[in-house]
Amino acid sequence: MAKSTLSFVCQNCGAAYNRWQGKCDACGEWNTLAEEDSAAVPVSIRSRRKGRTFQLESLSGKSQDAPRLASGMAELDRVTGGGFVRGSVLLLGGDPGIGKSTLLTQATSLLARAGHRAVYISGEEAIAQVRLRAERLGLSDAPVQLASETSVEDIISTLSEGAVPRLIVIDSIQTMWTDTVESAPGTVTQVRASAQALIRFAKKTGAAIILVGHVTKDGQIAGPRVVEHMVDAVMSFEGEGSQQFRILRSVKNRFGPTDEIGVFEMTGLGLREVSNPSELFLSERDLGSPGTAVFAGIEGTRPVLVELQALVAPTSLGTPRRAVVGWDPSRLSMVLAVLEAHCGVKLSGHDVYLNVAGGLRIQEPAADLAAAAALVSSLVNAPLPTDAVYFGEVSLSGAVRPVAQTAARLKEAAKLGFGRAILPESARGEAGGDAGLALNSVGGLSTLVAEIAARGSRRPQRETATVEKNATPARFRRQDG
Ligand code: TYD
Ligand code: MG
């Protein structure tokens, strides 16, 4: 007798269970289990007894064409690692309305204009809607091949005819369905089977495929994480709703770097590439107000200057608030602990807010020094010098540790007209003789804190400034040494 193949599959992570339960043990989500046929294997494959033989190849074989296809959008190519790889499948995730369809309409149009066969399959929008967008973007004349379809079999049959498309956009994978499995569209089994079929098509023909994936509230690509494992690259398109900047980030890439970002600006005429993000992130600087510090960071291979904004305000709450946007909250806790333990900065009676301007998300520990400077500057109500940039990692002992790519950071700062850099002592040598700006090296965080506190004491003091009176540079130099 054929075994029953019905099982309960978590729609969030894809874990399968024999019986229904309220909570998925694998990912901890509630109410995500749905009944599905787990024998998600096409009937044609199941019934085949004996495999066919195939040709084994050598490593040194020639591929017919250039392995990469540059899209012509420099910011997009930067993130993919130089263009779309033949036969690869890329998953693009992002919140609804962030601009995924816009980005891909622009990319397919550029490729089509350059003479490549580019196909855009929309499962969400009618042809008229896609045309309307193209019209708005001024791309109506691009010879993109467009369809509004959701059946994977129909799509594959159609695309198998004629020349192999160089790029196929599937917007979105959650709307696709295949006959080979019985579940409803959008379920894990359907999404997985549809993705599998499309991936097989890409590998067989050499077409590059981009799958658009929806993102749930907590930022995961909705439905199966399994799709992330199946594809060659995962990119996420991010941005703050209220801001025009959009950041394309590579999360996984089998053929390129994963730390590169591409920066775009959403305009009335579509996405505009931002080739110098520092200028953008610093364009609306609040010069001369306390609590802001410019961090000289590195995103991938590119230096990016961005403003960190801190607000330290007295609180009546027993447990003060610590809120951070754009940076790791545990890094903030660590910097606050070091400020308390080694620099005599009392923050237990204060709420602390930290924000990275422009919607950028920083992952580098090198931002420690800039964050600390912004925090202390807000606490003592003393603005930092407007022509200074900060970078350096703070260790638990309060020492300021060197970070990578000092020279690139300094070069970018000098290019944007900054006059001095506050940086780790040991980074001085790496900076080279002619950095183009004054270098203030700090060995310990307490030295910097004392300097900022001294600036604060020359200004009218707020009552809340609580850097201890004896926090003099001399005292801390002794401690550090
Ligand atoms: P869209 O690409 O449809 O987002 P997604 O596919 O990620 O859901 O973009 C929708 C938003 O972008 C919408 O709010 C309008 C805005 N937009 C512009 O501001 N300018 C434009 O030229 C276009 C086409 C869209
Ligand atoms: Mg869309």
Side-chain angles (χ1 to χ4, degrees):
M1 206 183 88
K3 232 173 80 196
S4 161
T5 52
L6 280 185
S7 68
F8 294 87
V9 179
C10 171
Q11 302 298 306
N12 185 50
C13 68
Y17 301 89
N18 291 332
R19 54 188 183 79
W20 190 86
Q21 56 194 59
K23 184 181 175 188
C24 172
D25 296 333
C27 68
E29 285 293 311
W30 287 89
N31 249 338
T32 53
L33 263 54
E35 195 173 328
E36 287 189 15
D37 189 348
S38 68
V41 185
V43 181
S44 56
I45 293 180
R46 256 188 274 158
S47 57
R48 199 160 59 206
R49 283 285 150 79
K50 192 160 172 281
R52 70 179 171 85
T53 54
F54 53 86
Q55 189 77 40
L56 296 166
E57 308 272 349
S58 77
L59 277 178
S60 57
K62 276 223 169 68
S63 42
Q64 322 88 320
D65 225 323
R68 277 190 193 273
L69 176 65
S71 69
M73 294 176 87
E75 292 295 299
L76 178 59
D77 291 338
R78 173 195 297 281
V79 179
T80 53
F84 305 116
V85 176
R86 283 177 62 87
S88 74
V89 179
L90 193 156
L91 179 68
L92 173 68
D95 289 331
I98 201 79
K100 301 181 293 296
S101 305
T102 308
L103 178 70
L104 296 176
T105 307
Q106 290 182 238
T108 41
S109 301
L110 283 179
L111 282 178
R113 274 186 181 162
H116 301 289
R117 183 178 179 202
V119 180
Y120 190 103
I121 311 276
S122 178
E124 298 192 334
E125 292 164 300
I127 292 194
Q129 286 172 295
V130 182
R131 280 194 184 137
L132 208 64
R133 181 185 294 114
E135 207 169 292
R136 184 165 165 187
L137 300 171
L139 296 168
S140 300
D141 64 313
V144 173
Q145 300 186 323
L146 179 65
S148 176
E149 276 299 331
T150 53
S151 160
V152 172
E153 279 74 27
D154 294 355
I155 293 171
I156 289 179
S157 303
T158 309
L159 297 184
S160 302
E161 284 172 10
V164 175
R166 293 305 302 270
L167 180 70
I168 303 166
V169 171
I170 304 286
D171 188 1
S172 63
I173 185 65
Q174 276 95 353
T175 56
M176 295 294 139
W177 63 278
T178 157
D179 300 334
T180 55
V181 294
E182 268 145 38
S183 323
T187 55
V188 171
T189 313
Q190 270 294 358
V191 171
R192 185 163 39 190
S194 303
Q196 252 159 7
L198 290 164
I199 290 168
R200 229 176 296 129
F201 178 74
K203 303 284 173 218
K204 203 174 82 193
T205 60
I209 298 189
I210 302 183
L211 306 174
V212 173
H214 290 295
V215 161
T216 55
K217 271 186 237 99
D218 52 356
Q220 307 279 10
I221 293 187
R225 307 274 340 246
V226 279
V227 176
E228 294 190 19
H229 300 295
M230 288 155 53
V231 297
D232 299 300
V234 180
M235 298 192 304
S236 78
F237 205 30
E238 306 163 355
E240 294 290 314
S242 56
Q243 270 163 342
Q244 299 310 306
F245 319 133
R246 300 283 184 272
I247 291 161
L248 186 65
R249 198 178 279 281
S250 149
V251 181
K252 157 184 171 176
N253 196 347
R254 286 187 184 147
F255 310 111
T258 51
D259 48 2
E260 288 287 0
I261 60 166
V263 184
F264 298 87
E265 186 182 357
M266 181 60 96
T267 69
L269 295 171
L271 289 159
R272 189 180 70 80
E273 296 179 57
V274 177
S275 49
N276 191 342
S278 304
E279 272 170 19
L280 182 79
F281 292 130
L282 295 177
S283 60
E284 280 165 36
R285 268 183 81 196
D286 202 359
L287 286 174
S289 58
T292 65
V294 175
F295 166 53
I298 298 280
E299 289 287 345
T301 51
R302 175 164 58 170
V304 174
L305 265 52
V306 63
E307 189 180 71
L308 302 191
Q309 305 163 342
L311 178 64
V312 178
T315 181
S316 51
L317 297 175
T319 318
R321 275 190 69 105
R322 267 89 179 95
V324 50
V325 178
W327 201 41
D328 182 3
S330 51
R331 258 337 288 168
L332 174 68
S333 307
M334 195 206 83
V335 169
L336 293 176
V338 173
L339 283 171
E340 291 233 7
H342 297 291
C343 310
V345 179
K346 291 276 168 279
L347 291 160
S348 47
H350 292 76
D351 287 336
V352 172
Y353 302 90
L354 189 78
N355 178 39
V356 179
L360 189 68
R361 198 152 43 82
I362 299 178
Q363 277 151 349
E364 275 190 291
D368 292 351
L369 194 66
L375 290 165
V376 177
S377 157
S378 172
L379 176 72
V380 303
N381 193 28
L384 298 170
T386 54
D387 67 339
V389 297
Y390 296 78
F391 61 90
E393 182 178 343
V394 171
S395 74
L396 286 178
S397 66
V400 180
R401 308 194 50 80
V403 293
Q405 309 209 42
T406 299
R409 295 174 204 266
L410 294 175
K411 203 169 143 211
E412 178 79 357
K415 198 171 97 193
L416 286 160
F418 285 86
R420 65 179 116 170
I422 321 305
L423 75 179
E425 211 146 62
S426 36
R428 251 197 130 102
E430 212 192 305
D434 182 26
L437 63 181
L439 304 180
N440 290 13
S441 53
V442 282
L445 186 58
S446 50
T447 322
L448 180 69
V449 170
E451 268 169 27
I452 300 172
R455 293 173 72 87
S457 60
R458 276 185 251 121
R459 283 166 56 95
Q461 280 272 313
R462 277 196 317 202
E463 289 164 48
T464 55
T466 52
V467 173
E468 279 173 0
K469 289 243 166 42
N470 56 357
T472 61
R475 177 180 165 224
F476 288 107
R477 254 187 235 124
R478 207 169 53 242
Q479 269 191 357
D480 295 336

